[in-house]
Each structure stands twice: as C-alpha cells, then as structure tokens.
Amino acid sequence: MNKNLFQTFLKAYPVIYKPVWKENLLLSFVDVFHGLSFAVLIIATQRFFDAITVYLGGTGSQNQVISLAWTVIFCQILSQLLNGFVNFYADVVREKGYGRICVMIQRKIQKTAPVNFEKNDFLDDMNKADQGAQEACAMVDTVNSIFTFYVPYFVLMGMYMYHLNYILIISVLLVFLPVLVTNYVQMHFGDIIEQKIAPVRREAEAYEKSLTTLDNFKETKVLYAAKYFIHLFQTSVSQWNQVSWNIRKKEAVINLGLNTFSFLAYGVILIMLVYLTVCGEISVGSFAVVFSAIDVMFYLMQEIFRDSLGNVAKNMGRINNFLNLIQSEEISQKSIRVKDGSIELKNVNFKYPESKQNCLNHITLKINSKETVAVVGQNGSGKTTLSKIILGIYKPDSGEVIVGGEKIDERHNCFPDMSAVFQKFNRYKLNIEDNIIISDVNDESGYLDAMNEVDNDLNIDPEMILSRDFDGIDLSGGQWQKIAIARGIHRSCKILVLDEPTSAIDPAQESELYHTFMRIAEEKTCVMITHRLGLAKIADRIIVLKDGAIVEDGKHQELLERKGEYCRMWSLQAEWYQNQTIGSKDSV
Ligand code: ADP
C-alpha cells in the first residue's frame, strides 16, 4: 500500500466499520477458520497420501487410510461450507453497511452550509460519494479478509513448509514476488492510462451527450449538427485508442518479462520439490500437496493484489470524495420564530466561493412588515443572490441580516416564517397534490385553495405522478411554474419571496397572477424579484440593483421622475412593447 492508500484506509476504516461492527466481527471470526480450514485440508491431504504410500508398501494399516480419507472429506466439506458462508455473509454485510452509510451521507448533506452547493469541489464530492462509499465498503472488506483469511492461511502454510523442510519457505517468496511486481506494474500503467485518457474520454462523452440525450438530441437533429458531433466524437475516440495502444504496448512487454519470471519461479519450486523428494527429505505425499498448494497460493496472491487491492487503488479517488463529504464541516442551525415580517440588511457584502469579486456590495435596506417590495435590475445585478441572503440560505461575508427583530446568522434561521417561489423551482416526481402540500404538510386541505388562487382551470389528473419516469405525465414550463407558485403560497408565512415567478407564464395569465400576488401580499411582507416592470409598478416600493449595489429606492412615479436607472429600464421596456404593438405603455 502506498502512503495515500494507507492514510485513506485509516480514515475510511472506522467510518465504514462502525455502522455494522457486530456483523463485521462475526464475519472476521468465521473468516479466520475459513483460512485455517484451507491450510488444515492441505496437511490432512498430505497425511492421507503418505498413509496410502505406506499401505501400498505393505506396512501401513488400512484403518488409518480410511480414517484419514474421512478426515480429508470432512475438511473439504468444512472448508467449502465456510467458503460459501463467508462469501454470502460478506455480501450481506457490505450491502447492509452501504445502506446505512447512504443514509449517513444524506444526513450529512442536510447539515452542510447551502453555500457549499456553489463550490465545484463539494458538488464533485457529493456526486461521487455514493459510489465512493460502495468502494470504501469493498476496501474495508478486502483489508479485513487479508488479516482474517489470507494472512492466517499463508502463515500456516509457511510454518507447514518450514516444518517439512526449511528450504521450502523460499517457495512462498517465489510465489509472492512475481505477483507483487506484476500487479504493481499493472497499477502503474493503469494510472498513467487513466491520467492520459481521462480528458479525451470526457471530451468524447460530451460529444456523445450532444448526440444522444433527449434535451440535446432535438436541437442537434433540427440544426443538422449531428454530422459535426459524430466527426468530433470519432476524432476523440481515435485519440483515446491511440493513447491506450501506446501505453498497453509497453505494459505488455514488461508483463511478458514478469510472466517469464513467474514461470521460472514455478520451475525452481518444482526442481526443489523433486530434489527434496528424491533425496528422501520429504515424502511423496508432501510433494503432491505442496505442488498443488503452490497453484492455490499463486491464485490467492493474484486475488489479493490484482482483484482486491488493485480495485481499491483504482477507486481511491472516489473513496476520497466520500471521505471529504463525510468529514466536511457541519452547521447546526436553530429555527426561530419572528414577531413580524420586517427585514433589515446592514452593510451586507457577499461573494460566491468560486468568484473573485463581491456579488453584493454594501447593501443597506429596510423593509417594513407587510410591505411589498419589487427588486429590479439587469441580469447579473445580484437580485437572486439578495433574495437568498434575505431568506437566510446564504450568510453574508460581512454585515447583518435582521428579520422580525431577530439576527439571522450561521446558527439561526427563520425558515418557519418564510416561504418562497424560486426562479429555478423544483419539479418533484410526485402527484400535483403532494407537489403543493410539501411546503406545509400540516395543512393538507389548503392545497386546493392555493391551486385555485393560481389557476382554477389547470385540469391535471390528481392521481398522476408528474413525471414520465413513473408512467405519469409531464407538464409544460408554465404549468410547472404555476405549481411552484401554488406551493409557495400554500405555506403560511410572514415573509414571501418571489423570484421571477411568472417567467414561463403567458402574458394574459401573468397579469391575472399579479393581482393574485397583490391580494396575498396584503397579509405579509412580499419581496418580488422581477425584470417585468409591470409587476414592479404595482409594488409599494421598488429597489433598483446595479452591479450588486442598490442604486435607487422609491415608488414607481418617484423613480420615473428621478430619470435614473429605473426610468431608463422602464423606457426601454415600454419602447419594446410599443414596437411589438401589443399594448400601451401602461401595460408594460
Ligand atoms: P440576477 O438575479 O440579478 O440575474 P444573480 O444574483 O443570479 O443575478 O447573480 C449575480 C452575480 O453573481 C452574477 O454576476 C453571476 O454571474 C454571479 N453568480 C451567480 N451565481 C454564482 C455562483 N454560483 N458562483 C459564482 N458567481 C455567481
């Protein structure tokens, strides 16, 4: 094991072992006998062969031959039974452990700070953690069996051979060395191939996706881009084959050398055995069993190094992804209730983890309870980020967020008094009712009211799962958005945040929804993020963001008269609508 492998093992072992420690202990206990039974079978077989030789020479007893034959049969049955049990139970323990670890992973993800989801490394760890856990379970299983099965077996075989003739101990080394070196070489070349091929493979996979996934397929087909992608795909696959061929050639030459070495080692052992037998140093029975045991030892050595440890080394990256996730920092947050829906931000600054510059700069803002505030600004001005800061999903790098008189920080959130309709809302693979009530499962009956507020003519079969994966139906973007709005307003709350809530809804229904929002907003504080200024116009107040800072704050008419950023945006939109001749300036 190299140093990294060893360190990873030390970290992963307790995490994997603990959830199924009783089962692991039982498995290890039986596995020791499993290893010993193999070795005892060899010794019994040697005694049996020797007894037959003596009996055939006319001096031995028939009873002894028969009783040794029974012993061999008994040992054979026992070792097969133990083998079957260990194989079966090892799978059971691994699956049981893996199940428990998957639950552990999900719990861990719930305790991580939401801002971690903006970090590429964290996303990578999270996406590969499941597979990493599976590999880590296999690693623990492998190392356990090395100590409980392989080591006892080889120690006993070593002692047995030493007892027969001390020179025979060399044969264990002659088995061990070529297998060790061969597998090291294979791992080394495997690593090189993986490093060189990974970028080309990622490229090929991306081209393949452009050709085959449902989302990409339609556009690629209609725009006649398939030929272009097939050419790119072909080029990367040939590059991939070329790299692999060049490295595999070298590997094959080295392996040929090592196989010759193994063959010679085998020959040396055979000569040694024949010599010792002819000189009368060991019996014919010993010769027979040692010769057949060498084969088993070669096989077991290959099994440890190539199949077990080789796979562990290959999957090290994913095991590390799993460990990073499990060891990542947790936040323990307490949900608090707030007295009203007032919001205050004091000199808030925020930067995304992977970004170099601040996304929000010195935001100072006060929103009164039950006030309706529209946040407007160009794309990328920081509107969605501001909504996440207000909701308490992200914590500011500096400054304070105070909601309903309570300070929101790493340790406190006020989610129980908040609701939201997100720009990138979730499309849960549930029926329509469950899609809505999950925002407030204690109010099952209220879901129809929420649905009717949004659209009383949606006409979706209530039994149907909203996903084709479960033989259900899929909805249009607008229908999905209405469900997301219904989910947001179904939840009773003091503060409602709407982030571009009508982006996928057609204009006629959109203006109806504006009135619905206004009605709902009478009872609560409402922060509406929008670039539809028609919606902003009906808010109590408008906040204009530019480059992450508040540049204007006031009522619609006041901001128009100020002739600043809002006025400019309003004029542009009005002009656009007029050019489209679909309404008057007031309908913007
Ligand atoms: P808006 O909602 O006004 O369109 P956002 O709040 O989504 O703006 O984004 C504001 C700025 O932050 C943009 O410049 C955007 O590129 C950047 N940004 C958004 N999300 C991330 C992220 N996960 N990592 C780094 N930068 C981000």
Side-chain angles (χ1 to χ4, degrees), residues 118 352-355 359 377-386 394 423 499 529 545:
E118 304 290 349
Y352 280 100
E354 314 259 320
S355 173
C359 171
Q378 286 179 339
N379 285 343
S381 55
K383 303 184 294 296
T384 296
T385 311
L386 178 65
Y394 297 160
Q423 191 179 15
D499 186 359
I529 290 160
L545 278 186

Side-chain angles (χ1 to χ4, degrees), residues 388-404:
K388 287 178 181 163
I389 293 278
I390 290 175
L391 283 166
I393 299 175
Y394 297 160
K395 302 296 161 216
D397 297 323
S398 61
E400 279 184 11
V401 179
I402 297 157
V403 176

